[in-house]
Amino acid sequence: MVIFSIIISNTTSPPREDQQKQKKHKQAVNQRIKKLKECINKHRPLSWSAISSFEYSKDDFYSKYVLGEKTDPNSKMLFGNEVGGRLATEPNFLPEIPRYEIYEQKLAGKIDDIHLIGYLDNFCPETKNFHEFKTSSSKTRWTQEKAQEHGQIMFYKFLIYQNYGIDPSTIKCNLFYIPVEEAGDFSMKLSNEPIQCFEVIHSVTDIIKFGNYIKKIWQKMQDFVEKKELAL
């Protein structure tokens, strides 16, 4: 019976060398996780793009924001960037869209130990109002309800609230939906559909709740990174 128990013990417990290897592997993984978290936070502050990427596809988020893998922009993204650039440099381009003084206004912030960064499409330094320009080939992509619930606008209002202490309900944000369509050569062009403007209003409570959302999503990101690393 004693011999039998020894055999069972040897077949169910890993040798001490394996245990030590597992311990070292776990320590190495934990160290890598720590470095990854520091990299995401300190060297690349949390942006709305990162949050949106994580919500859409956690694996894509991991590839882009943790591993640093780059993907080529598609034709819709390229044309959206072109439209944004022309709005900033050509006053006669889409004159029905009003402009503020500053383009790509950088705002940084911090909540707990989470560093934040945002770039507002079009910003008024006096009033702190801002515009967001969105191109889309989908006629149902933007509505008043979708604009109101769009996290990017709340993210930017949170940063304005942090930087200037302004009541978010007094900040005017207009989301301009600019319809586009395929040009027939794998590129995009402006559509003949009218541009739509959605004014988005939030209360202080809305923005404080969004701050709590940032903390929750950041923790989910950390947990996912740890899970991925431990699986290697």
Side-chain angles (χ1 to χ4, degrees):
M1 292 296 291
V2 174
I3 296 175
F4 179 73
S5 65
I6 292 174
I7 293 173
I8 294 298
S9 176
N10 286 339
T11 57
T12 58
S13 300
R16 178 170 293 182
E17 290 185 4
D18 289 347
Q19 289 179 337
Q20 291 177 342
K21 287 181 181 180
Q22 290 176 2
K23 184 178 180 181
K24 288 183 180 180
H25 174 69
K26 187 173 182 179
Q27 289 174 341
V29 168
N30 287 338
Q31 186 63 26
R32 177 162 165 74
I33 290 169
K34 181 181 178 181
K35 290 182 179 180
L36 285 168
K37 290 177 180 178
E38 291 175 349
C39 179
I40 298 170
N41 199 0
K42 294 181 180 179
H43 301 296
R44 189 169 191 168
L46 187 63
S47 64
W48 173 251
S49 296
I51 294 175
S52 178
S53 175
F54 183 79
E55 293 279 40
Y56 182 75
S57 170
K58 293 177 175 59
D59 287 328
D60 287 350
F61 160 82
Y62 182 80
S63 297
K64 180 177 181 180
Y65 291 92
V66 178
L67 300 182
E69 297 177 356
K70 296 182 179 180
T71 56
D72 295 329
N74 58 38
S75 60
K76 293 180 180 180
M77 295 170 63
L78 290 172
F79 189 69
N81 291 336
E82 179 185 335
V83 169
R86 293 186 65 184
L87 284 168
T89 58
E90 300 179 28
N92 294 325
F93 176 67
L94 301 180
E96 61 269 43
I97 297 180
R99 269 82 147 179
Y100 290 132
E101 179 181 348
I102 299 176
Y103 293 86
E104 292 297 312
Q105 172 66 45
K106 177 182 177 180
L107 288 179
K110 187 178 180 182
I111 180 170
D112 292 344
D113 62 344
I114 311 168
H115 296 262
L116 309 173
I117 195 73
Y119 294 88
L120 286 64
D121 282 350
N122 195 206
F123 181 71
C124 177
E126 288 79 25
T127 64
K128 311 303 183 283
N129 296 335
F130 64 101
H131 297 326
E132 280 299 305
F133 307 128
K134 301 295 183 184
T135 57
S136 178
S137 59
S138 171
K139 295 181 180 180
T140 60
R141 174 62 185 91
W142 291 107
T143 64
Q144 181 63 53
E145 182 180 2
K146 289 179 179 179
Q148 186 67 35
E149 296 176 351
H150 189 42
Q152 184 179 24
I153 292 177
M154 286 190 276
F155 187 84
Y156 291 165
K157 286 191 176 185
F158 182 84
L159 290 175
I160 293 173
Y161 181 56
Q162 274 206 331
N163 279 268
Y164 304 105
I166 296 176
D167 182 347
S169 65
T170 66
I171 300 172
K172 182 179 180 181
C173 171
N174 289 324
L175 186 152
F176 289 93
Y177 160 47
I178 305 170
V180 300
E181 61 186 13
E182 294 183 2
D185 57 355
F186 302 103
S187 66
M188 305 299 294
K189 66 178 183 178
L190 294 174
S191 166
N192 291 325
E193 296 291 325
I195 294 171
Q196 299 182 52
C197 175
F198 304 106
E199 183 175 352
V200 181
I201 299 173
H202 294 104
S203 66
V204 175
T205 302
D206 293 332
I207 301 308
I208 291 175
K209 286 181 178 179
F210 189 78
N212 291 329
Y213 162 77
I214 292 174
K215 290 190 284 187
K216 290 179 181 179
I217 201 70
W218 172 247
Q219 185 58 53
K220 289 181 180 180
M221 288 177 174
Q222 308 274 26
D223 293 343
F224 182 76
V225 169
E226 183 171 354
K227 182 180 178 182
K228 290 284 287 188
E229 289 299 314
L230 287 173
L232 293 178

